[in-house]
């Protein structure tokens, strides 16, 4: 895997686990309670860590805080409200819509291109996501809950595009600290208003509920740092496809720890998601390998001199998702963005 992809895959795994843990916490506390704990807790944790390591920079802080209004702001808000009204497995499976939306936005807004194999891998992963999302649903599912989760998915997709466009380095800690701060400030009015009218359950929550809430904080903080670290080196379209792992991990953890029982169709969809992800990772370096095996590429000048340097691509030229180059920073983005 190219540099940055392991961080994105690990972030996708952590976000999938965080979805299931959120459902556990929401059994004891209100959605606004979990929202306040996870966003403010992550902001405090990340800012302290960045200050302690001397990596909190004021340059670009305002922009990062605006991006944080999408994630963790709106995405966590809609995600908590939706997960309180649906099951863990269904909430996780609905996240399968995020890779499609992320890839479409990357192609349209960032002018990224998709190779034939990348398209095949995406289609296979999307078919798998559709199978798991359209399978039988439990009694706890509601239309409103699923709609709120999809709104969180839309915010997450826009966030992926925004971070890929504006992150100019791979310092995930600095970016995540400011984004968490921006997210906490953006949802503060909703939290205060909800507490003033409906109160809170945090004061009566037991130890297990607090452990679940703190686990959500840790998942969000670590996952956010890993995502911001990886997205600076991976094209948005490819990062969106790697996000296929999140709904699969969320479903598996819901099955193992919460006793959810997916259908055979949903299990087949999970296999398709993994197959699409494996196909994407397997063939991403093939064009470079094929070039390196060609006689022209493998043989240097006969006089023993060094081969001429390859000039960099023009500044406005888009890069392929399979290459290690970043998308051009100057690509136009329409003003308008991983819930997890």
């Amino acid at each position: 895997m190219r540099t940055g992809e392991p961080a994105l895959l690990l972030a996708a795994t952590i976000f999938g686990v965080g979805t299931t843990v959120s459902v556990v916490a929401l059994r004891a506390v209100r959605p606004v309670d979990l929202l306040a704990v996870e966003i403010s807790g992550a902001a405090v944790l990340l800012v302290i860590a960045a200050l302690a390591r001397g990596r909190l920079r004021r340059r670009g802080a305002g922009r990062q805080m605006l991006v944080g209004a999408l994630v963790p702001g709106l995405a966590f808000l809609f995600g908590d409200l939706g997960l309180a009204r649906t099951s863990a497995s269904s909430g996780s499976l609905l996240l399968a819509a995020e890779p499609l939306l992320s890839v479409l936005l990357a192609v349209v807004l960032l002018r990224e291109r998709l190779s034939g194999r990348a398209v095949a891998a995406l289609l296979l992963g999307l078919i798998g996501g559709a199978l798991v999302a359209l399978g039988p649903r439990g009694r706890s599912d509601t239309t409103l809950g699923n709609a709120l989760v999809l709104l969180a998915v839309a915010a997450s997709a826009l966030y992926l595009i925004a971070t890929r466009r504006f992150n100019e380095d791979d310092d995930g800690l600095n970016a995540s600290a400011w984004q968490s701060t921006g997210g906490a400030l953006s949802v503060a009015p909703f939290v205060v208003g909800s507490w003033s009218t409906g109160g809170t359950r945090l004061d009566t929550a037991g130890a297990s509920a607090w452990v679940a809430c703190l686990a959500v904080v840790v998942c969000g903080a670590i996952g956010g740092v890993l995502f911001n670290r990886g997205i600076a080196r991976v094209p948005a379209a490819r990062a969106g496809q790697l996000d296929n792992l999140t709904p699969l991990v969320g479903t598996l953890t819901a099955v193992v720890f919460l006793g959810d029982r997916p259908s055979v169709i949903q299990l087949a969809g999970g296999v398709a998601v993994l197959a699409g992800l494996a196909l994407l990772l397997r063939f991403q370096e093939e064009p470079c390998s094929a070039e390196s095996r060609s006689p022209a590429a493998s043989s240097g000048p006969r006089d023993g001199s060094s081969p001429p340097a390859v000039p960099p691509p023009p500044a406005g030229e888009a890069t392929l998702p399979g290459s290690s180059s970043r998308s051009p920073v100057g690509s136009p983005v329409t003003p308008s963005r991983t819930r997890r």
Side-chain angles (χ1 to χ4, degrees), residues 253-303:
T253 52
V255 170
V256 173
F257 297 105
L258 301 184
D260 287 4
R261 290 293 177 263
S263 65
V264 175
I265 294 179
Q266 290 176 314
L267 292 176
V271 173
V273 169
L274 284 179
L277 184 61
L279 180 66
L280 182 70
L281 297 176
R282 168 65 179 83
F283 291 111
Q284 65 101 7
E285 295 292 351
E286 187 171 85
C288 297
S289 300
E291 182 180 357
S292 64
R293 289 194 298 268
S294 63
S298 59
S299 60
R302 295 182 183 275
D303 59 2

Side-chain angles (χ1 to χ4, degrees), residues 135-148:
R137 297 176 178 177
R139 296 179 179 177
S140 61
D141 294 356
T142 67
T143 302
L144 177 60
N146 292 337
L148 289 169

Side-chain angles (χ1 to χ4, degrees), residues 28-30 33 195 199-206 210:
V29 300
R30 297 179 61 203
D33 297 335
W195 276 349
T200 178
R201 296 179 188 170
L202 291 175
D203 52 351
T204 59
W210 274 104

